[in-house]
Amino acid sequence: MNYRWNWSILLQEPYTEWLWSGLQWTVAISLVSWAIALSVGLVVGVVRSLPSGILRVIAGVYIDVFRNIPPLVQLFLWYFVLPEIVPETIGLWIKRDLPYPEFVTAVVAIGLFAGSRVAEQVRAGIEAVGNHLMPAALATGLRPLQAFRLVVVPLGLRAIVGPLTSEFLVTVKLSSLSLTIGVLELTAQSRHIENYTFQGLEAFTVATIGYLVIGLCVTGLMRLIDDRVGGAALRRAGS
Amino acid sequence: MIVLEDVHKSYGKLKILRGCSASVKLGEVVVVCGPSGSGKSTLIKCVNGLVPFEQGSITVDGVSVSDKKTDLPMLRARIGMVFQNFELYPHMTALENVSLAQIHVLKRSRAEADAGSEKLLARVGLGGKLASRPSQLSGGQQQRVSIARALAMDPKAMLFDEPTSALDPEMINEVLEVMQALALEGMTMMVVTHEMGFAQRVADRVLFMDGGEILEDTPKAQFFTDPATERAKQFLTKVLTH
């Protein structure tokens, strides 16, 4: 290979700054879209576990639609198609007045995609670990919704902290999609540096390490939470 | 106290209960026994409405279980139930397990509920295990917590669904002793069990079930010495020789 490594390029202005700002955007997109995914996924997953009702059907439709369309397509739909099909005033507002339009679109798109996956985890956790305690809770006189809220859901959620780690990691990695609509996150900045300096390998090495560090932090954090709530023991007991 | 009349239950084409009638009077201890698959567990779960049935009627303390107007949760709060697999809430301590329904059903304050729970746990011999989680307790201890959880609602009757079947042999007695003490205090009890020793010591009457029917409903003494049906005789020789 004739590539001439030149690591010092990364210490030159403005490239250090670019990478640093890219890393910040990546973290910001990851955290905000994960917050959206968690909130939406929790609500939808719990609703999906209810025995019946129109809400349960709506939750099912959301999961089916958002889980089955490629996230990149979803991102384009939100960014290019949505402003054109909503009433004109709203479309104009999205195009002209929405603050940080690329960032907002990216976190909504990634958050709702990941949310559908989180919802399925929530439902699975409730079904696998929580539901079998329903009769015992009902037998003490709790009303079905009380039993669900006080026993079944808290148990199901504790059990899925481990599996949710993967969803969190997927969300972090999906943040790189947002470069396609112009967010200058870590991957975009690395390409940027390559275009300016032809020293892409150095930039991408740093980006790789960046993603790795974020991922390891996420894994460590989730493991800590899992230990705290006793998730692993619940998944083993399972019965 | 508990009256069952012609109760039928089936899962699809499989008939589980074929017209069961029986009653448990106030203060009585009735043991339900019979081979596996005879419908004992289903029958006892019909009593507090955990399993719905198609035909017949069950009344508890004068309230119909199958009547749509009946407030089932309120009825269940007055009937304690103990399950084969304990079914404790694994994410809560023993104390929290016993307090939960007191707080949310009986609307007691947490302090009041916890005080009651402490007394009950002491009564079942677990005064020192208030802060333990189910995973830190032995099977026998878990089942005693579950009895305390049921007693916490001040029930008028107690249902036991094979309370010792999932226990190691050396733990069976600690649970049976708690149940026996309850019976002596005059608790109305319906107990599905294979523990014939317990039945001989504590039961007033024995129901023998097979194939979804109650074949015998006889006073204890008669059941063990002179059962009416051939099927019960066979069952007894098999169970008692062990």
Side-chain angles (χ1 to χ4, degrees), chain A residues 132-195:
Chain A
H132 77 103
L133 282 174
M134 196 70 175
L138 290 179
T140 61
L142 290 172
R143 294 181 184 280
L145 276 177
Q146 283 181 317
F148 201 66
R149 176 170 63 84
L150 297 167
V151 177
V152 174
V153 172
L155 257 182
L157 295 186
R158 279 174 164 77
I160 61 165
V161 174
L164 277 187
T165 311
S166 304
E167 299 307 327
F168 199 164
L169 292 173
V170 166
T171 311
V172 172
K173 284 173 281 189
L174 284 174
S175 70
S176 60
L177 287 186
S178 52
L179 79 88
T180 57
I181 58 170
V183 182
L184 290 173
E185 44 66 73
L186 191 52
T187 309
Q189 292 289 21
S190 306
R191 287 182 49 186
H192 211 171
I193 293 174
E194 179 175 38
N195 290 341

Side-chain angles (χ1 to χ4, degrees), chain B residues 14-84:
Chain B
L14 188 65
K15 282 203 177 300
I16 308 291
L17 300 176
R18 313 159 181 263
C20 295
S21 302
S23 69
V24 182
K25 294 193 202 65
L26 191 68
E28 223 178 6
V29 177
V30 172
V31 161
V32 186
C33 64
S36 300
S38 57
K40 314 178 293 281
S41 285
T42 307
L43 186 72
I44 203 170
K45 283 180 182 147
C46 285
V47 173
N48 66 353
L50 282 183
V51 170
F53 50 94
E54 293 96 45
Q55 195 185 320
S57 77
I58 297 178
T59 54
V60 178
D61 202 14
V63 181
S64 162
V65 174
S66 55
D67 190 339
K68 289 214 164 51
K69 278 174 269 167
T70 299
D71 186 353
L72 260 187
M74 212 144 92
L75 180 65
R76 287 181 185 133
R78 292 188 286 150
I79 321 169
M81 184 157 202
V82 175
F83 296 83
Q84 183 174 355

